[in-house]
Amino acid sequence: MRYKKFIRYTLSAAIAAALAPVYAQAQEATDTAPSSDQAATTLDAVVVSGSAVRGGVKKLEASYNIVRASEEQIKMANPKSTADLLKISPGLWPESTGGQTGANIEIAGFPGGGDAPYFSTLLMGSPLYGMPTLSFFETTSMFRLDDTVGSTEILQGGPSVVFADGQIGATANFFLKTGSDTPYGSVGLTYGDEGLLRLDAFSGFKVADGWYGSVGGFWRSSDGVRDPQFKADEGGQLTATLSHDFADDKGNLTLYARYLNDKNQFITPIPLVQTGTDSFRAYPGFDPLKDTYYSKAIQHVHLPSYGGVAGGVDADLADGRGADMIFVGGNFDYDLGNGWSISDKFLFDEGDMDTSALFSGNNPASLNDMLYTAGVPGGFALPAGTATATYVGGGDVALDQSVIQQGWWHIHKHLKSFNNDFRLSKELFDGNTLTIGLYVNHYTMDDKWSLGNQMLMTNEPNARPIMVTYDDGGTTYYRTDSQGFADFSGFHIAEHGSATNTALYLSDSWRVGKWLLDLSGRIENQDATNNVCNLDNVDLDGDPTTLYDNAVPVCNGTYAKTDYDKTHPSFSAGANYSFNDHMSMYGRVNTGGHFLDFDNGIRGSTTGNTPPMQKIRNYEIGFKYQSKLLYADISAYRRKFTGLQYQPTNGLGTPTGDVQVYGSDSFGVNFIGAVTPTDNLRIQLVANYLDGEYTDYDACFPYTDINGVDQCAAIDGEQLQRQPKIRAMLTPSYRFDFAWGDITPYITYTHVGDHTQDQSGLQELGSYHTLDFGITSNVGYNWSFALRGTNVTNELGLTESNSRIFGSAASSGGVLLARPLEGREINFQAKYSW
């Protein structure tokens, strides 16, 4: 409770302090901060991500795929989370069915399949962490959208392999609002029908001549669409900036700090019934749009298996997959004269990114089958009629009760990162600028895991845990503990990783008439060390009758150390030709590499025997056009991968078998466009087409199927997992103008095409379409109102099935565990701005 009060009180005090000078000048200030909404939708908009040129380049001249969104455009997208915002960029598909955090982020043509290995989140141009993803972590999980964010630039491929963290996939660069000569700001209150109550506030102001400050943030509490019987999302964020403009437009200094403390439910797959390739329906007793297994009855547990900690740990499902992080950073840009300029960006962040959540195991069965029937996956196969099953807290459980085992996993992850990006530029001659840069990022990870921990519970919404004992030969055996845990085996480790990435890059930009050419190269070294505790199987309590903890892997005091030292070059070359001030065409080729991370490739390997590095070759052409009627930005690409890895795991999350290495080849088209027949009517389309498949693997992947049978699946030629061939969002909007203000209603129709769960292509997830809406209104100079809704037609659509089951995940009767979209969610916001 203390952290919630701290967030509320700190935010309230900061807002009050910030608003004091504003209210004193309220009679004089009638305009809001300068708006870039119009510029953001034109080719005249300036983008800085992916460019080494001081001040950036016009979007018309950017020879790469980049989408810029202003604050208002971010809100119009109605994102359910930071990751969900990425849907505004064609080819990016965030799976937001897991909750506010922990999204899987797919990029067309990049064979991800889980987490976000090919995506990086940047704040003011600085990466939030040295690796884009780790087990139980992706970078959008440590970033929240609020009114302190002024705009974002989402860049795919191209020059991103050279700048910042050298991401080969996509980056989203978020820019904070700062103060101005004229004070401006806003206070907003949002209510949602899922029990959401949220306060947002921001104030930007002048501190002294040439110095400006800002402060803002949010606090919210929500029961969630899938109500777990405790707060699904609760917490807040506080952000402040201090900026200084140097005389004679020589440059700018911006310092910023942010504190985030937010807890979010990590949504577990629920049972559904599959009746065909593209047909799914509700499982009896489960509403797929709003139900969850989470409940007060299973909220608090003690895990004796917690990695490296004697006595275990108490864990709370309400902690979810949240963040408790601090961020301190700064940007410095200065014109030295005579064509010389320097730029430096730095960011330090540290904190906890923990996970407490249920993870799916085997499909449900009746209690009778779970207790007595041989061959039932996850079943006990006890002697007939010997068991006693009771609810934790009292009451017998009927033998026909549907039950399931779920893994109650707890992961403590402490992250720390410091990065600095220094650039020195020189205009060699008119139109030609050469930039040399040095990027350094030192980062660490301290983890303690407790995976497995199979809890027997009712297969129903807001589940209840079940205890089981049985008698055999006059001896009572405890098949579960008093909390309902049937098995504490699994993967329980303590892990420490430390790494430094150092990169030197060179970029030359040359304007020749209507051509803008660039050639950039980067050489990067990753020097990483990972230490993972070695495990011994131990009977935790020394009692052979307590079967749930007789063979628990625990840290034995020794560690396996793996060193990883890899250097890899990347390059990018682009050419843009501007036919005139509203039409251009470009081409680009780039190569890059994806370093191994602590959990994927380094852990489980020995020094000198780590898997090969993933490498990409990307070819892209694009065309941009804008007139009063039409806006169009279209690009076509080919993306070829080598060095992809597959690591089999069992249902408890334990790695099994050898790492398999393969590749992929993809062709696709990304499109974003808008038609504006009148000043008030706008119809926008964001769409992509992908033809991508796995290559370079003539054998088959070994795996254990849903029934526990060893199988082998061929993957060569299969569609890239989790990626639809077609995705499109169509948004018509119309603004009605009145003497007192305006009203703009809009709807967004989204179509997601056929997609599959994993590399085998054996588990189809079908296709779906959704309908979202919004109505925004500005009243006078100060007031604005917004009513927004998502999935208003309650579409049943799937983004993934049980990720711990390879191949077909459906068992008898077509039952499978999967993550469907959340049902209808509507919220209303009232905001006062000055």
Side-chain angles (χ1 to χ4, degrees):
M1 293 296 293
R2 293 193 314 180
Y3 88 92
K4 291 184 286 186
K5 293 180 180 178
F6 175 79
I7 286 285
R8 287 198 293 265
Y9 295 157
T10 306
L11 180 57
S12 301
I15 293 171
L19 299 190
V22 174
Y23 286 131
Q25 303 177 58
Q27 298 302 316
E28 299 177 11
T30 58
D31 296 329
T32 62
S35 174
S36 59
D37 296 348
Q38 190 65 29
T41 60
T42 73
L43 297 180
D44 288 331
V46 174
V47 294
V48 298
S49 302
S51 173
V53 177
R54 182 171 182 263
V57 296
K58 289 184 179 180
K59 190 174 178 182
L60 175 76
E61 298 177 317
S63 55
Y64 43 89
N65 185 327
I66 188 167
V67 173
R68 184 180 186 275
S70 67
E71 181 182 10
E72 288 307 310
Q73 290 168 326
I74 292 173
K75 289 181 171 60
M76 188 171 178
N78 198 11
K80 297 173 72 69
S81 63
T82 302
D84 193 46
L85 174 65
L86 304 177
K87 63 190 178 185
I88 67 175
S89 179
L92 265 66
W93 187 43
E95 299 176 3
S96 56
T97 54
Q100 289 285 314
T101 58
N104 299 313
I105 301 172
E106 304 297 341
I107 307 167
F110 286 82
D115 294 320
Y118 308 119
F119 176 82
S120 297
T121 306
L122 277 60
L123 177 58
M124 301 289 281
S126 295
L128 298 187
Y129 190 67
M131 292 174 174
T133 194
L134 296 169
S135 293
F136 311 104
F137 166 74
E138 48 79 29
T139 53
T140 67
S141 294
M142 59 167 59
F143 190 89
R144 302 291 186 275
L145 295 170
D146 61 17
D147 288 348
T148 66
V149 175
S151 64
T152 185
E153 294 176 357
I154 305 173
L155 169 64
Q156 291 190 49
S160 64
V161 300
V162 174
F163 303 113
D165 60 344
Q167 174 59 262
I168 63 175
T171 61
N173 192 4
F174 292 92
F175 299 92
L176 298 173
K177 293 191 290 189
T178 58
S180 65
D181 285 315
T182 301
Y184 72 105
S186 62
V187 176
L189 187 64
T190 304
Y191 172 77
D193 64 349
E194 79 283 17
L196 169 68
L197 187 63
R198 174 170 172 143
L199 171 67
D200 285 270
F202 173 81
S203 179
F205 46 87
K206 180 177 180 179
V207 176
D209 287 344
W211 288 90
Y212 308 96
S214 73
V215 64
F218 77 91
W219 177 86
R220 60 93 181 274
S221 177
S222 171
D223 296 330
V225 176
R226 301 187 185 279
D227 188 354
Q229 299 182 333
F230 47 80
K231 291 299 180 184
D233 303 296
E234 191 164 32
Q237 180 172 263
L238 182 66
T239 305
T241 71
L242 178 65
S243 60
H244 175 62
D245 292 336
F246 296 104
D248 302 323
D249 293 325
K250 287 289 187 180
N252 175 270
L253 169 68
T254 299
L255 302 174
Y256 57 91
R258 169 174 282 203
Y259 175 60
L260 168 64
N261 195 324
D262 195 30
K263 298 181 178 181
N264 313 102
Q265 178 186 193
F266 186 65
I267 296 172
T268 301
I270 61 170
L272 294 159
V273 178
Q274 181 174 359
T275 57
T277 299
D278 196 14
S279 180
F280 304 89
R281 59 178 172 82
Y283 180 88
F286 258 93
D287 185 338
L289 299 169
K290 68 177 184 179
D291 282 341
T292 177
Y293 282 108
Y294 289 24
S295 69
K296 280 188 171 298
I298 60 175
Q299 177 183 352
H300 298 281
V301 298
H302 179 78
L303 301 176
S305 52
Y306 187 50
V309 177
V313 68
D314 294 325
D316 184 352
L317 272 183
D319 291 338
R321 193 166 185 174
D324 186 358
M325 298 287 301
I326 59 169
F327 303 84
V328 179
N331 288 20
F332 174 72
D333 294 280
Y334 196 77
D335 185 352
L336 299 171
N338 296 319
W340 291 91
S341 63
I342 60 173
S343 171
D344 190 78
K345 299 178 177 68
F346 76 89
L347 176 62
F348 168 81
D349 53 67
E350 181 178 11
D352 296 334
M353 298 292 301
D354 293 356
T355 297
S356 292
L358 297 183
F359 285 81
S360 302
N362 296 110
N363 284 357
S366 69
L367 177 62
N368 184 79
D369 286 342
M370 183 68 70
L371 294 176
Y372 302 122
T373 303
V376 171
F380 302 151
L382 304 179
T386 61
T388 299
T390 59
Y391 292 110
V392 173
D396 294 335
V397 185
L399 289 176
D400 61 355
Q401 169 69 50
S402 180
V403 299
I404 192 170
Q405 288 195 54
Q406 300 265 17
W408 208 121
W409 295 12
H410 176 69
I411 300 94
H412 170 64
K413 185 178 292 289
H414 186 83
L415 303 178
K416 184 188 296 185
S417 174
F418 176 79
N419 68 79
N420 192 89
D421 191 347
F422 175 79
R423 299 180 185 182
L424 176 65
S425 298
K426 168 63 176 174
E427 186 176 18
L428 300 180
F429 51 86
D430 187 31
N432 186 284
T433 301
L434 180 68
T435 298
I436 186 171
L438 177 65
Y439 169 81
V440 179
N441 194 330
H442 178 71
Y443 49 100
T444 62
M445 172 198 71
D446 287 283
D447 280 20
K448 291 182 176 63
W449 293 14
S450 184
L451 277 55
N453 307 320
Q454 295 297 111
M455 175 181 277
L456 181 64
M457 62 185 71
T458 54
N459 180 45
E460 61 186 3
N462 305 128
R464 300 173 63 185
I466 297 171
M467 298 183 297
V468 174
T469 62
Y470 72 98
D471 292 325
D472 188 7
T475 300
T476 299
Y477 290 90
Y478 297 85
R479 194 57 192 81
T480 76
D481 74 350
S482 60
Q483 305 172 97
F485 284 110
D487 191 352
F488 283 115
S489 67
F491 197 50
H492 313 298
I493 62 170
E495 179 179 14
H496 171 75
S498 178
T500 300
N501 283 48
T502 305
L504 182 69
Y505 57 90
L506 193 67
S507 179
D508 186 81
S509 177
W510 190 8
R511 188 182 301 277
V512 184
K514 294 184 177 182
W515 289 93
L516 182 60
L517 312 174
D518 67 84
L519 178 63
S520 305
R522 175 189 182 103
I523 184 77
E524 181 171 6
N525 171 262
Q526 178 172 297
D527 186 0
T529 299
N530 202 33
N531 292 275
V532 184
C533 72
N534 293 313
L535 303 174
D536 287 337
N537 285 340
V538 174
D539 185 343
L540 288 183
D541 61 6
D543 184 350
T545 66
T546 54
L547 304 181
Y548 49 83
D549 67 354
N550 284 354
V552 180
V554 297
C555 294
N556 63 14
T558 66
Y559 282 78
K561 179 181 179 181
T562 304
D563 292 320
Y564 176 73
D565 192 340
K566 182 72 174 178
T567 299
H568 190 266
S570 301
F571 85 90
S572 180
N576 186 91
Y577 182 80
S578 299
F579 297 96
N580 46 48
D581 61 1
H582 60 268
M583 183 169 63
S584 65
M585 191 169 185
Y586 69 86
R588 179 168 293 277
V589 59
N590 68 268
T591 65
H594 179 74
F595 291 101
L596 303 181
D597 66 59
F598 295 132
D599 292 321
N600 298 281
I602 301 180
R603 175 168 50 82
S605 300
T606 58
T607 300
N609 294 290
T610 51
M613 189 174 182
Q614 297 179 28
K615 299 178 183 179
I616 183 177
R617 184 175 293 272
N618 179 68
Y619 306 90
E620 183 178 355
I621 58 172
F623 176 78
K624 302 172 186 176
Y625 173 81
Q626 181 163 14
S627 66
K628 186 175 181 180
L629 173 65
L630 177 66
Y631 174 88
D633 185 348
I634 183 171
S635 62
Y637 60 82
R638 182 187 183 187
R639 292 165 178 165
K640 189 171 180 61
F641 266 85
T642 59
L644 300 176
Q645 305 153 31
Y646 166 69
Q647 172 67 70
T649 60
N650 61 23
L652 301 178
T654 305
T656 60
D658 297 327
V659 174
Q660 313 293 316
V661 180
Y662 57 105
S664 71
D665 197 3
S666 301
F667 300 83
V669 178
N670 292 332
F671 175 81
I672 181 168
V675 177
T676 312
T678 70
D679 289 341
N680 294 48
L681 175 63
R682 178 180 175 86
I683 304 171
Q684 178 171 291
L685 175 65
V686 177
N688 74 278
Y689 169 79
L690 168 68
D691 180 10
E693 61 183 36
Y694 297 109
T695 62
D696 305 320
Y697 197 80
D698 295 332
C700 59
F701 278 1
Y703 71 98
T704 303
D705 70 13
I706 185 71
N707 297 310
V709 179
D710 290 338
Q711 302 275 13
C712 194
I715 69 162
D716 206 73
E718 292 292 336
Q719 178 181 338
L720 296 187
Q721 66 180 119
R722 310 275 272 274
Q723 297 196 27
K725 287 193 172 184
I726 297 177
R727 186 182 73 92
M729 294 194 311
L730 180 66
T731 305
S733 62
Y734 191 90
R735 187 183 75 250
F736 296 91
D737 294 316
F738 304 95
W740 47 264
D742 60 70
I743 295 178
T744 303
Y746 61 89
I747 59 173
T748 297
Y749 170 84
T750 300
H751 170 77
V752 174
D754 290 332
H755 51 296
T756 60
Q757 168 62 28
D758 55 40
Q759 297 96 324
S760 73
L762 296 174
Q763 180 57 59
E764 297 277 359
L765 298 175
S767 61
Y768 64 85
H769 59 271
T770 61
L771 195 65
D772 307 331
F773 82 93
I775 303 173
T776 62
S777 177
N778 297 298
V779 180
Y781 289 106
N782 304 109
W783 287 97
S784 62
F785 303 91
L787 179 68
R788 300 184 176 94
T790 58
N791 196 16
V792 294
T793 57
N794 280 329
E795 174 77 0
L796 176 56
L798 304 186
T799 62
E800 68 173 290
S801 64
N802 185 348
S803 60
R804 271 150 297 285
I805 300 295
F806 195 84
S808 174
S811 57
S812 177
V815 178
L816 81 158
L817 297 172
R819 274 182 176 161
L821 303 175
E822 291 181 322
R824 183 187 301 114
E825 182 179 2
I826 297 176
N827 63 70
F828 175 77
Q829 182 185 63
K831 178 181 287 188
Y832 181 83
S833 303
W834 60 88

